[in-house]
Short mmCIF file of all heavy atoms in Angstrom, two decimals:
data_model
loop_
_atom_site.label_atom_id
_atom_site.label_comp_id
_atom_site.label_asym_id
_atom_site.label_seq_id
_atom_site.Cartn_x
_atom_site.Cartn_y
_atom_site.Cartn_z
N MET A 1 70.11 25.72 43.62
CA MET A 1 70.22 26.98 43.00
C MET A 1 71.31 26.98 41.94
O MET A 1 72.32 26.26 42.05
CB MET A 1 70.62 28.02 44.08
CG MET A 1 70.98 29.41 43.51
SD MET A 1 71.73 30.48 44.79
CE MET A 1 70.26 31.03 45.59
N LYS A 2 71.04 27.71 40.86
CA LYS A 2 72.06 27.84 39.82
C LYS A 2 72.35 29.36 39.58
O LYS A 2 71.39 30.19 39.78
CB LYS A 2 71.59 27.20 38.51
CG LYS A 2 71.48 25.66 38.62
CD LYS A 2 71.23 25.08 37.28
CE LYS A 2 70.93 23.57 37.31
NZ LYS A 2 71.96 22.81 38.05
N ALA A 3 73.50 29.65 39.13
CA ALA A 3 73.84 31.03 38.83
C ALA A 3 74.47 31.10 37.46
O ALA A 3 75.12 30.14 36.98
CB ALA A 3 74.87 31.56 39.83
N ARG A 4 74.12 32.16 36.75
CA ARG A 4 74.63 32.37 35.41
C ARG A 4 75.11 33.78 35.31
O ARG A 4 74.51 34.71 35.93
CB ARG A 4 73.56 32.12 34.27
CG ARG A 4 73.49 30.67 33.91
CD ARG A 4 72.48 30.49 32.73
NE ARG A 4 71.13 30.90 33.18
CZ ARG A 4 70.29 30.03 33.81
NH1 ARG A 4 70.64 28.77 34.01
NH2 ARG A 4 69.10 30.42 34.12
N ILE A 5 76.13 34.05 34.45
CA ILE A 5 76.63 35.35 34.17
C ILE A 5 76.51 35.65 32.71
O ILE A 5 76.86 34.85 31.86
CB ILE A 5 78.08 35.49 34.66
CG1 ILE A 5 78.18 35.39 36.17
CG2 ILE A 5 78.77 36.80 34.14
CD1 ILE A 5 79.63 35.31 36.71
N ASP A 6 75.96 36.87 32.43
CA ASP A 6 75.95 37.35 31.06
C ASP A 6 77.36 37.94 30.84
O ASP A 6 77.66 39.04 31.16
CB ASP A 6 74.93 38.42 30.83
CG ASP A 6 74.92 38.98 29.44
OD1 ASP A 6 75.83 38.64 28.68
OD2 ASP A 6 74.07 39.85 29.17
N GLU A 7 78.24 37.13 30.23
CA GLU A 7 79.66 37.45 30.07
C GLU A 7 79.83 38.73 29.17
O GLU A 7 80.84 39.39 29.30
CB GLU A 7 80.57 36.27 29.64
CG GLU A 7 80.50 35.18 30.64
CD GLU A 7 81.44 34.01 30.29
OE1 GLU A 7 82.10 34.12 29.31
OE2 GLU A 7 81.44 33.07 31.07
N MET A 8 78.92 38.92 28.27
CA MET A 8 79.04 40.11 27.41
C MET A 8 78.86 41.39 28.22
O MET A 8 79.32 42.45 27.77
CB MET A 8 77.98 40.00 26.29
CG MET A 8 78.07 38.87 25.37
SD MET A 8 79.64 38.85 24.48
CE MET A 8 79.28 40.14 23.26
N ALA A 9 78.10 41.34 29.30
CA ALA A 9 77.80 42.54 30.09
C ALA A 9 78.83 42.71 31.21
O ALA A 9 78.98 43.87 31.68
CB ALA A 9 76.42 42.44 30.62
N CYS A 10 79.43 41.66 31.67
CA CYS A 10 80.35 41.78 32.86
C CYS A 10 81.48 42.74 32.64
O CYS A 10 82.13 42.72 31.57
CB CYS A 10 80.89 40.34 33.14
SG CYS A 10 82.11 40.30 34.41
N THR A 11 81.72 43.58 33.62
CA THR A 11 82.81 44.52 33.47
C THR A 11 84.05 44.09 34.22
O THR A 11 85.06 44.84 34.27
CB THR A 11 82.35 45.86 34.13
OG1 THR A 11 82.10 45.71 35.52
CG2 THR A 11 81.10 46.46 33.42
N GLY A 12 83.98 42.91 34.92
CA GLY A 12 85.16 42.44 35.61
C GLY A 12 85.47 43.18 36.85
O GLY A 12 86.59 43.24 37.32
N CYS A 13 84.47 43.77 37.53
CA CYS A 13 84.67 44.59 38.70
C CYS A 13 85.11 43.72 39.90
O CYS A 13 85.76 44.26 40.81
CB CYS A 13 83.40 45.35 39.08
SG CYS A 13 82.10 44.31 39.73
N GLY A 14 84.80 42.42 39.90
CA GLY A 14 85.23 41.60 41.00
C GLY A 14 84.37 41.55 42.21
O GLY A 14 84.66 40.85 43.19
N VAL A 15 83.19 42.26 42.23
CA VAL A 15 82.31 42.21 43.33
C VAL A 15 81.82 40.78 43.67
O VAL A 15 81.81 40.35 44.75
CB VAL A 15 81.10 43.14 43.13
CG1 VAL A 15 79.93 42.88 44.07
CG2 VAL A 15 81.56 44.57 43.22
N CYS A 16 81.43 40.04 42.56
CA CYS A 16 80.90 38.72 42.75
C CYS A 16 81.94 37.75 43.34
O CYS A 16 81.61 36.96 44.26
CB CYS A 16 80.29 38.18 41.48
SG CYS A 16 81.42 38.13 40.11
N SER A 17 83.18 37.81 42.81
CA SER A 17 84.16 36.87 43.28
C SER A 17 84.67 37.16 44.67
O SER A 17 85.10 36.33 45.43
CB SER A 17 85.32 36.86 42.29
OG SER A 17 85.84 38.13 42.02
N GLU A 18 84.45 38.47 45.11
CA GLU A 18 84.81 38.85 46.47
C GLU A 18 83.62 38.44 47.39
O GLU A 18 83.89 38.00 48.58
CB GLU A 18 85.02 40.34 46.60
CG GLU A 18 86.34 40.79 45.97
CD GLU A 18 86.42 42.32 45.80
OE1 GLU A 18 85.62 43.09 46.46
OE2 GLU A 18 87.26 42.76 45.02
N THR A 19 82.45 38.58 46.92
CA THR A 19 81.25 38.22 47.79
C THR A 19 81.03 36.76 47.92
O THR A 19 80.67 36.26 48.98
CB THR A 19 80.01 38.96 47.18
OG1 THR A 19 80.29 40.30 46.98
CG2 THR A 19 78.84 38.79 48.09
N ALA A 20 81.18 36.05 46.82
CA ALA A 20 80.89 34.54 46.89
C ALA A 20 82.05 33.84 46.13
O ALA A 20 81.91 33.33 45.02
CB ALA A 20 79.57 34.34 46.22
N PRO A 21 83.26 33.81 46.77
CA PRO A 21 84.43 33.24 46.09
C PRO A 21 84.27 31.76 45.86
O PRO A 21 85.05 31.21 44.96
CB PRO A 21 85.58 33.56 47.06
CG PRO A 21 84.91 33.81 48.38
CD PRO A 21 83.56 34.36 48.08
N ASP A 22 83.38 31.05 46.54
CA ASP A 22 83.24 29.62 46.26
C ASP A 22 82.44 29.44 44.93
O ASP A 22 82.46 28.31 44.42
CB ASP A 22 82.46 28.98 47.40
CG ASP A 22 83.31 28.92 48.65
OD1 ASP A 22 84.54 29.06 48.62
OD2 ASP A 22 82.70 28.72 49.72
N VAL A 23 81.88 30.45 44.42
CA VAL A 23 80.95 30.26 43.25
C VAL A 23 81.47 31.01 42.03
O VAL A 23 81.41 30.56 40.92
CB VAL A 23 79.50 30.67 43.63
CG1 VAL A 23 78.63 30.68 42.38
CG2 VAL A 23 78.94 29.87 44.73
N PHE A 24 82.03 32.23 42.26
CA PHE A 24 82.47 33.06 41.18
C PHE A 24 83.94 33.29 41.15
O PHE A 24 84.56 33.39 42.24
CB PHE A 24 81.76 34.50 41.25
CG PHE A 24 80.29 34.40 41.26
CD1 PHE A 24 79.54 34.73 42.40
CD2 PHE A 24 79.57 34.07 40.11
CE1 PHE A 24 78.16 34.71 42.39
CE2 PHE A 24 78.19 34.00 40.12
CZ PHE A 24 77.47 34.37 41.28
N GLU A 25 84.54 33.40 40.02
CA GLU A 25 85.90 33.74 39.88
C GLU A 25 86.09 34.63 38.68
O GLU A 25 85.37 34.52 37.72
CB GLU A 25 86.85 32.53 39.82
CG GLU A 25 86.61 31.70 38.56
CD GLU A 25 87.45 30.45 38.49
OE1 GLU A 25 88.24 30.24 39.42
OE2 GLU A 25 87.22 29.67 37.57
N LEU A 26 87.17 35.43 38.74
CA LEU A 26 87.54 36.22 37.54
C LEU A 26 88.46 35.40 36.69
O LEU A 26 89.48 34.90 37.19
CB LEU A 26 88.14 37.58 37.88
CG LEU A 26 87.24 38.66 38.44
CD1 LEU A 26 88.05 39.91 38.67
CD2 LEU A 26 86.09 38.94 37.48
N GLY A 27 88.19 35.30 35.39
CA GLY A 27 89.13 34.54 34.51
C GLY A 27 90.27 35.45 34.11
O GLY A 27 90.35 36.59 34.41
N ASP A 28 91.16 34.76 33.35
CA ASP A 28 92.34 35.52 32.82
C ASP A 28 91.90 36.66 31.98
O ASP A 28 92.66 37.63 31.77
CB ASP A 28 93.25 34.56 32.06
CG ASP A 28 93.88 33.55 32.99
OD1 ASP A 28 93.92 33.76 34.21
OD2 ASP A 28 94.30 32.47 32.48
N ASP A 29 90.69 36.59 31.34
CA ASP A 29 90.20 37.61 30.50
C ASP A 29 89.51 38.71 31.29
O ASP A 29 88.90 39.59 30.71
CB ASP A 29 89.26 37.00 29.43
CG ASP A 29 88.15 36.15 30.10
OD1 ASP A 29 88.05 36.12 31.38
OD2 ASP A 29 87.32 35.61 29.34
N ASN A 30 89.58 38.63 32.64
CA ASN A 30 88.93 39.57 33.55
C ASN A 30 87.45 39.61 33.39
O ASN A 30 86.80 40.62 33.62
CB ASN A 30 89.50 41.00 33.34
CG ASN A 30 89.54 41.77 34.61
OD1 ASN A 30 89.83 41.22 35.70
ND2 ASN A 30 89.25 43.09 34.55
N ILE A 31 86.89 38.45 33.07
CA ILE A 31 85.44 38.29 32.97
C ILE A 31 85.09 37.21 34.08
O ILE A 31 85.76 36.20 34.14
CB ILE A 31 84.99 37.80 31.59
CG1 ILE A 31 85.35 38.81 30.53
CG2 ILE A 31 83.47 37.53 31.58
CD1 ILE A 31 84.69 40.14 30.66
N ALA A 32 84.01 37.51 34.81
CA ALA A 32 83.60 36.54 35.85
C ALA A 32 83.06 35.24 35.30
O ALA A 32 82.36 35.29 34.27
CB ALA A 32 82.62 37.20 36.73
N LYS A 33 83.33 34.18 35.93
CA LYS A 33 82.88 32.82 35.59
C LYS A 33 82.15 32.27 36.81
O LYS A 33 82.56 32.48 37.95
CB LYS A 33 84.00 31.88 35.20
CG LYS A 33 85.13 32.49 34.41
CD LYS A 33 84.74 32.60 33.00
CE LYS A 33 85.92 33.24 32.22
NZ LYS A 33 85.46 33.96 30.98
N VAL A 34 81.27 31.32 36.50
CA VAL A 34 80.63 30.52 37.57
C VAL A 34 81.42 29.24 37.65
O VAL A 34 81.60 28.53 36.67
CB VAL A 34 79.15 30.24 37.25
CG1 VAL A 34 78.52 29.37 38.35
CG2 VAL A 34 78.40 31.54 37.11
N LYS A 35 81.92 28.94 38.84
CA LYS A 35 82.87 27.80 39.02
C LYS A 35 82.11 26.47 39.29
O LYS A 35 82.71 25.47 39.16
CB LYS A 35 83.75 28.00 40.28
CG LYS A 35 84.61 29.22 40.14
CD LYS A 35 85.15 29.69 41.47
CE LYS A 35 85.88 28.65 42.32
NZ LYS A 35 86.47 29.24 43.54
N VAL A 36 80.85 26.56 39.64
CA VAL A 36 80.16 25.35 40.06
C VAL A 36 78.86 25.14 39.18
O VAL A 36 78.23 26.12 38.75
CB VAL A 36 79.76 25.39 41.55
CG1 VAL A 36 81.00 25.35 42.45
CG2 VAL A 36 78.94 26.66 41.86
N GLU A 37 78.50 23.88 39.06
CA GLU A 37 77.26 23.57 38.35
C GLU A 37 76.04 23.97 39.20
O GLU A 37 75.13 24.60 38.73
CB GLU A 37 77.24 22.04 38.12
CG GLU A 37 76.02 21.52 37.35
CD GLU A 37 76.09 21.79 35.88
OE1 GLU A 37 77.21 22.02 35.34
OE2 GLU A 37 75.08 21.78 35.25
N THR A 38 76.12 23.61 40.44
CA THR A 38 75.04 23.95 41.45
C THR A 38 75.62 24.69 42.60
O THR A 38 76.77 24.33 43.08
CB THR A 38 74.36 22.68 41.98
OG1 THR A 38 73.85 21.97 40.81
CG2 THR A 38 73.21 23.00 42.91
N VAL A 39 75.04 25.82 43.05
CA VAL A 39 75.57 26.61 44.11
C VAL A 39 75.52 25.77 45.43
O VAL A 39 74.43 25.23 45.77
CB VAL A 39 74.71 27.86 44.31
CG1 VAL A 39 75.17 28.62 45.53
CG2 VAL A 39 74.85 28.73 43.03
N PRO A 40 76.61 25.60 46.19
CA PRO A 40 76.58 24.86 47.43
C PRO A 40 75.63 25.56 48.41
O PRO A 40 75.56 26.83 48.41
CB PRO A 40 78.01 24.97 47.92
CG PRO A 40 78.84 25.35 46.73
CD PRO A 40 77.91 26.11 45.80
N GLU A 41 75.01 24.76 49.28
CA GLU A 41 74.00 25.30 50.20
C GLU A 41 74.51 26.49 51.01
O GLU A 41 73.79 27.50 51.19
CB GLU A 41 73.57 24.23 51.20
CG GLU A 41 72.18 23.60 50.75
CD GLU A 41 71.71 22.54 51.69
OE1 GLU A 41 71.82 22.80 52.95
OE2 GLU A 41 71.25 21.54 51.19
N GLY A 42 75.66 26.45 51.53
CA GLY A 42 76.22 27.50 52.36
C GLY A 42 76.51 28.79 51.63
O GLY A 42 76.80 29.83 52.24
N SER A 43 76.53 28.75 50.34
CA SER A 43 76.88 29.92 49.54
C SER A 43 75.71 30.67 48.90
O SER A 43 75.81 31.63 48.19
CB SER A 43 77.86 29.54 48.41
OG SER A 43 79.05 29.01 48.92
N GLU A 44 74.48 30.16 49.19
CA GLU A 44 73.31 30.68 48.47
C GLU A 44 73.07 32.18 48.83
O GLU A 44 72.80 32.99 47.93
CB GLU A 44 72.11 29.85 48.78
CG GLU A 44 72.19 28.47 48.17
CD GLU A 44 70.98 27.59 48.38
OE1 GLU A 44 70.21 27.88 49.35
OE2 GLU A 44 70.77 26.66 47.62
N ASP A 45 73.18 32.55 50.10
CA ASP A 45 72.94 33.94 50.47
C ASP A 45 73.98 34.84 49.82
O ASP A 45 73.65 35.97 49.38
CB ASP A 45 72.92 34.11 51.97
CG ASP A 45 71.66 33.66 52.59
OD1 ASP A 45 70.69 33.39 51.92
OD2 ASP A 45 71.63 33.49 53.86
N ALA A 46 75.22 34.38 49.79
CA ALA A 46 76.33 35.16 49.21
C ALA A 46 76.03 35.38 47.70
O ALA A 46 76.38 36.44 47.15
CB ALA A 46 77.67 34.48 49.45
N VAL A 47 75.50 34.33 47.04
CA VAL A 47 75.19 34.48 45.57
C VAL A 47 74.09 35.49 45.35
O VAL A 47 74.20 36.31 44.47
CB VAL A 47 74.85 33.09 45.01
CG1 VAL A 47 74.23 33.27 43.66
CG2 VAL A 47 76.06 32.20 44.94
N ARG A 48 73.07 35.41 46.26
CA ARG A 48 71.99 36.43 46.11
C ARG A 48 72.56 37.84 46.32
O ARG A 48 72.20 38.80 45.58
CB ARG A 48 70.87 36.16 47.10
CG ARG A 48 70.10 34.86 46.79
CD ARG A 48 68.91 34.70 47.78
NE ARG A 48 68.37 33.38 47.67
CZ ARG A 48 68.55 32.37 48.53
NH1 ARG A 48 69.28 32.64 49.59
NH2 ARG A 48 68.12 31.22 48.32
N GLU A 49 73.42 38.00 47.30
CA GLU A 49 74.01 39.27 47.61
C GLU A 49 74.86 39.76 46.38
O GLU A 49 74.78 40.95 46.04
CB GLU A 49 74.90 39.17 48.82
CG GLU A 49 75.49 40.49 49.30
CD GLU A 49 76.36 40.35 50.53
OE1 GLU A 49 76.29 39.31 51.19
OE2 GLU A 49 77.15 41.28 50.75
N ALA A 50 75.68 38.84 45.87
CA ALA A 50 76.46 39.25 44.71
C ALA A 50 75.62 39.69 43.53
O ALA A 50 75.89 40.65 42.91
CB ALA A 50 77.38 38.03 44.31
N ALA A 51 74.53 38.88 43.27
CA ALA A 51 73.66 39.29 42.18
C ALA A 51 73.04 40.63 42.44
O ALA A 51 72.93 41.46 41.46
CB ALA A 51 72.55 38.19 42.00
N GLY A 52 72.72 40.92 43.67
CA GLY A 52 72.07 42.23 44.01
C GLY A 52 73.07 43.39 43.92
O GLY A 52 72.69 44.51 43.68
N ASN A 53 74.36 43.07 44.08
CA ASN A 53 75.38 44.08 44.13
C ASN A 53 76.17 44.21 42.78
O ASN A 53 76.93 45.14 42.65
CB ASN A 53 76.38 43.81 45.22
CG ASN A 53 75.77 44.07 46.57
OD1 ASN A 53 74.76 44.80 46.74
ND2 ASN A 53 76.34 43.50 47.63
N CYS A 54 75.91 43.34 41.85
CA CYS A 54 76.61 43.42 40.57
C CYS A 54 76.19 44.80 39.89
O CYS A 54 74.98 45.01 39.70
CB CYS A 54 76.15 42.32 39.64
SG CYS A 54 76.85 42.44 37.96
N PRO A 55 77.13 45.62 39.59
CA PRO A 55 76.78 46.97 39.08
C PRO A 55 76.09 47.03 37.73
O PRO A 55 75.41 47.96 37.38
CB PRO A 55 78.10 47.68 39.01
CG PRO A 55 79.16 46.57 38.92
CD PRO A 55 78.62 45.42 39.70
N VAL A 56 76.19 45.90 36.98
CA VAL A 56 75.51 45.88 35.66
C VAL A 56 74.46 44.78 35.69
O VAL A 56 73.93 44.37 34.61
CB VAL A 56 76.52 45.73 34.54
CG1 VAL A 56 77.40 46.93 34.38
CG2 VAL A 56 77.39 44.42 34.75
N THR A 57 74.04 44.30 36.86
CA THR A 57 72.99 43.27 36.99
C THR A 57 73.09 42.16 35.96
O THR A 57 72.09 41.85 35.32
CB THR A 57 71.61 43.89 37.01
OG1 THR A 57 71.42 44.61 35.85
CG2 THR A 57 71.45 44.82 38.19
N CYS A 58 74.28 41.56 35.81
CA CYS A 58 74.45 40.53 34.80
C CYS A 58 74.51 39.15 35.37
O CYS A 58 74.87 38.23 34.68
CB CYS A 58 75.63 40.79 33.89
SG CYS A 58 77.21 40.67 34.67
N ILE A 59 74.19 39.03 36.72
CA ILE A 59 74.14 37.72 37.34
C ILE A 59 72.72 37.31 37.44
O ILE A 59 71.89 37.99 38.01
CB ILE A 59 74.82 37.74 38.73
CG1 ILE A 59 76.27 38.15 38.63
CG2 ILE A 59 74.69 36.36 39.36
CD1 ILE A 59 76.93 38.37 40.01
N GLU A 60 72.43 36.14 36.87
CA GLU A 60 71.05 35.62 36.96
C GLU A 60 71.04 34.43 37.89
O GLU A 60 71.89 33.54 37.80
CB GLU A 60 70.61 35.14 35.57
CG GLU A 60 69.15 34.62 35.48
CD GLU A 60 68.78 34.01 34.14
OE1 GLU A 60 69.58 34.39 33.11
OE2 GLU A 60 67.93 33.20 34.10
N VAL A 61 70.09 34.44 38.85
CA VAL A 61 70.03 33.39 39.80
C VAL A 61 68.73 32.57 39.62
O VAL A 61 67.65 33.22 39.48
CB VAL A 61 70.04 33.96 41.28
CG1 VAL A 61 69.83 32.85 42.31
CG2 VAL A 61 71.32 34.74 41.50
N GLU A 62 68.90 31.30 39.51
CA GLU A 62 67.75 30.43 39.39
C GLU A 62 67.55 29.66 40.69
O GLU A 62 68.40 28.84 41.02
CB GLU A 62 67.95 29.45 38.19
CG GLU A 62 66.78 28.57 37.94
CD GLU A 62 67.15 27.56 36.78
OE1 GLU A 62 67.73 27.98 35.81
OE2 GLU A 62 66.89 26.38 36.98
N GLU A 63 66.52 29.96 41.46
CA GLU A 63 66.31 29.39 42.79
C GLU A 63 65.95 27.88 42.70
O GLU A 63 65.34 27.46 41.77
CB GLU A 63 65.27 30.13 43.52
CG GLU A 63 65.56 31.56 43.80
CD GLU A 63 66.59 31.78 44.95
OE1 GLU A 63 66.90 30.83 45.66
OE2 GLU A 63 67.07 32.87 45.09
S1 SF4 B 111 79.82 41.65 39.90
FE1 SF4 B 111 78.92 41.63 37.89
S2 SF4 B 111 80.19 43.00 36.63
FE2 SF4 B 111 81.33 42.52 38.52
S3 SF4 B 111 82.71 40.83 37.93
FE3 SF4 B 111 80.86 39.96 38.83
S4 SF4 B 111 79.43 39.55 37.10
FE4 SF4 B 111 81.06 40.92 36.39
#
């Protein structure tokens, strides 16, 4: 699984980094980043949850 963020749309709300901290982090610019090339197996459900809960739906998940 891979995850991508449309950084132009991200509001920096922090939902993704709270839901899947192994995969997402907020940068110094308060924009979320994807920390990993490939989502670790144990974090896949959390990534799907984060994508579903992102208020501006700017997280794209590639299964
Ligand atoms: S949940 Fe969405 S809007 Fe919020 S920080 Fe993450 S990517 Fe940005």
Side-chain angles (χ1 to χ4, degrees):
M1 173 191 278
K2 292 188 187 308
R4 275 185 296 275
I5 291 173
D6 177 356
E7 296 187 3
M8 297 297 286
C10 173
T11 63
C13 71
V15 164
C16 57
S17 54
E18 287 167 19
T19 306
D22 291 341
V23 176
F24 302 109
E25 65 184 354
L26 284 184
D28 292 339
D29 54 3
N30 214 35
I31 299 296
K33 320 281 180 205
V34 180
K35 296 161 54 172
V36 292
E37 181 78 19
T38 301
V39 174
E41 258 180 44
S43 298
E44 292 182 338
D45 282 348
V47 166
R48 291 186 192 103
E49 184 182 342
N53 289 339
C54 173
V56 293
T57 59
C58 69
I59 301 173
E60 183 187 338
V61 177
E62 184 184 315
E63 296 283 350

